């Protein structure tokens, strides 16, 4: 297991979150193999045993999506060890993940986002400007949570109005931002320098009280706090603001390939999911407006 996880982390350059998720999935399957079949190595697993584990997970109430993710972990694990010739055959070749229902990405309505900034819900304090900048960057650039918490001052080009982020698999990209966001950055950094006068000029722009970079949970709390004030959608997270950015861009005629580049997607298929939101919106408008709908 360690050899595979090291390969995932150092050669495939998978994120820490992905490595941890795969580790948990593999450990769960290892415990199942030992308890049900007395096998102390998952390299000894057979196809029927994997299918039995999948059935057990679904009987315990896991969704098809969650089971599918665990199957993906096993698939990658055995593909690696088959390539390394540590197993004679790959038991995952005959395993099919359960089908999952397609879910449209949730997003915040444009009117709700407008209200969030119009109602002046952010205080004129360090915390208030920090919170505003967090929300603005997610909504205006569509960046990921991991990208936001790793932004340093040197990554921001105030002249060009752009920010450099390090995405998945250490892929760098530059995202433009609006003049309004530039003003928010300037105001926030004034408060930042007053609060942390000894911080190096190339520090992370969002920090915890100990001056280290901000924790993901803290960013989640900020986003949830403000979205709670303007929307009733089920999910209120940084990723929802990423969905919101893409959906609003598409609704206003942005080119799909341009959105793909800004989001840092490796394939257009990942970006195309947002077209479904636009189609659903058109259907709703049609059904409400057409006399014979």
């Amino acid at each position: 297991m360690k050899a595979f996880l090291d390969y995932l982390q150092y050669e495939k350059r998978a994120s820490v979150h992905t490595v941890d998720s795969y580790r948990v999935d593999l450990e769960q399957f290892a415990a199942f193999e030992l308890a049900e079949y007395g096998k102390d190595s998952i390299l000894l697993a057979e196809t029927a045993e994997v299918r039995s584990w999948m059935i057990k997970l679904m009987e315990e109430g896991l969704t098809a999506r969650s089971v599918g993710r665990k199957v993906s972990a096993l698939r990658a694990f055995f593909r690696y060890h088959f390539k390394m010739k540590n197993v004679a055959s790959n038991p995952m070749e005959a395993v099919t993940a359960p089908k999952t229902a397609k879910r449209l990405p949730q997003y915040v309505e444009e009117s709700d986002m407008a209200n969030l900034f119009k109602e002046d819900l952010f205080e004129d304090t360090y915390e208030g400007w920090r919170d505003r900048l967090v929300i603005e960057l997610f909504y205006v650039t569509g960046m990921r949570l991991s990208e936001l918490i790793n932004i340093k001052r040197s990554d921001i080009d105030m002249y060009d109005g752009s920010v450099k982020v390090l995405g998945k698999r250490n892929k760098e990209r530059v995202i433009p931002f609006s003049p309004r966001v530039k003003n928010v950055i300037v105001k926030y950094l004034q408060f930042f320098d007053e609060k942390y006068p000894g911080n190096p000029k190339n520090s992370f722009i969002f920090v915890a009280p100990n001056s280290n970079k901000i924790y993901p949970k803290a960013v989640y709390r900020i986003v949830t706090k403000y979205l709670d004030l303007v929307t009733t959608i089920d999910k209120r997270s940084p990723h929802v603001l990423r969905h919101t950015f893409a959906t609003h861009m598409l609704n206003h005629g942005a080119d799909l390939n341009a959105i793909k580049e800004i989001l840092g997607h490796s394939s257009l298929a990942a970006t195309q999911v947002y077209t479904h939101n636009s189609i659903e919106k058109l259907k709703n408008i049609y059904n409400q407006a057409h006399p014979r709908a």
Side-chain angles (χ1 to χ4, degrees):
M1 193 183 297
K2 184 179 184 303
F4 166 68
L5 294 173
D6 286 346
Y7 159 78
L8 204 63
Q9 181 175 357
Y10 300 115
E11 292 193 38
K12 298 297 287 183
R13 297 187 180 278
S15 68
V16 174
H17 175 73
T18 298
V19 174
D20 286 343
S21 296
Y22 275 36
R23 179 185 292 108
V24 170
D25 295 337
L26 293 172
E27 287 174 349
Q28 287 178 352
F29 181 64
F32 171 82
E33 281 288 281
L34 184 62
E36 297 293 326
Y37 300 102
K39 295 182 177 180
D40 59 2
S41 171
I42 54 177
L43 289 176
L44 302 174
E46 298 175 17
T47 299
E49 295 165 5
V50 175
R51 288 174 176 158
S52 176
W53 184 54
M54 291 167 60
I55 292 169
K56 181 175 181 291
L57 291 173
M58 298 193 77
E59 287 176 345
E60 290 174 351
L62 260 71
T63 63
R65 185 179 295 273
S66 296
V67 175
R69 195 204 70 217
K70 294 178 184 295
V71 169
S72 295
L74 282 182
R75 203 181 302 282
F77 175 82
F78 279 104
R79 188 187 303 120
Y80 165 79
H81 281 292
F82 183 71
K83 183 179 178 181
M84 301 301 292
K85 299 183 178 179
N86 294 328
V87 290
S89 61
N90 184 348
M92 299 303 296
E93 286 184 352
V95 174
T96 304
K99 289 186 177 180
T100 59
K102 287 187 178 180
R103 293 187 303 176
L104 295 181
Q106 283 193 307
Y107 65 96
V108 184
E109 293 289 345
E110 287 187 49
S111 57
D112 293 332
M113 290 304 300
N115 287 335
L116 178 57
F117 297 111
K118 185 175 67 177
E119 296 298 328
D120 199 19
L121 301 173
F122 305 93
E123 296 179 358
D124 188 26
T125 62
Y126 163 77
E127 289 78 11
W129 283 100
R130 177 203 62 195
D131 295 356
R132 183 181 188 113
L133 184 56
V134 165
I135 302 292
E136 289 269 21
L137 285 176
F138 277 134
Y139 179 47
V140 172
T141 69
M143 66 176 63
R144 301 178 178 92
L145 170 61
S146 60
E147 295 167 349
L148 179 129
I149 64 178
N150 283 296
I151 297 174
K152 294 183 177 180
R153 284 203 184 194
S154 58
D155 296 324
I156 300 173
D157 189 327
M158 298 296 278
Y159 180 78
D160 281 344
S162 64
V163 56
K164 180 173 65 179
V165 297
L166 194 63
K168 288 185 176 180
R169 296 178 180 83
N170 289 331
K171 287 184 179 178
E172 222 176 58
R173 69 185 191 281
V174 176
I175 312 173
F177 55 75
S178 64
R180 187 188 69 236
V181 175
K182 179 179 178 179
N183 294 334
V184 176
I185 293 172
V186 170
K187 190 70 176 179
Y188 165 69
L189 290 178
Q190 290 173 357
F191 278 95
F192 182 94
D193 290 337
E194 290 176 10
K195 188 174 181 66
Y196 299 102
N199 249 36
K201 290 298 181 183
N202 194 32
S203 66
F204 296 104
I205 66 165
F206 298 114
V207 298
N210 60 7
S211 293
N212 290 328
K213 66 181 177 183
I214 196 168
Y215 303 112
K217 283 186 178 179
V219 179
Y220 261 93
R221 283 196 294 268
I222 291 170
V223 172
T224 303
K225 171 185 174 182
Y226 290 96
L227 291 190
D228 278 347
L229 300 175
V230 296
T231 182
T232 57
I233 61 174
D234 297 334
K235 290 186 177 181
R236 295 181 283 279
S237 68
H239 216 68
V240 164
L241 287 177
R242 180 171 162 86
H243 294 326
T244 302
F245 160 83
T247 302
H248 291 180
M249 288 280 285
L250 199 62
N251 286 345
H252 284 272
D255 178 71
L256 198 61
N257 277 299
I259 297 174
K260 167 186 170 291
E261 293 302 316
I262 294 174
L263 290 176
H265 284 161
S266 57
S267 71
L268 194 61
T271 317
Q272 284 175 327
V273 67
Y274 297 108
T275 63
H276 297 294
N277 277 335
S278 296
I279 292 169
E280 287 300 312
K281 184 177 181 181
L282 288 174
K283 283 182 181 178
N284 289 334
I285 293 171
Y286 175 82
N287 288 333
Q288 290 171 12
H290 199 283
R292 292 185 64 82

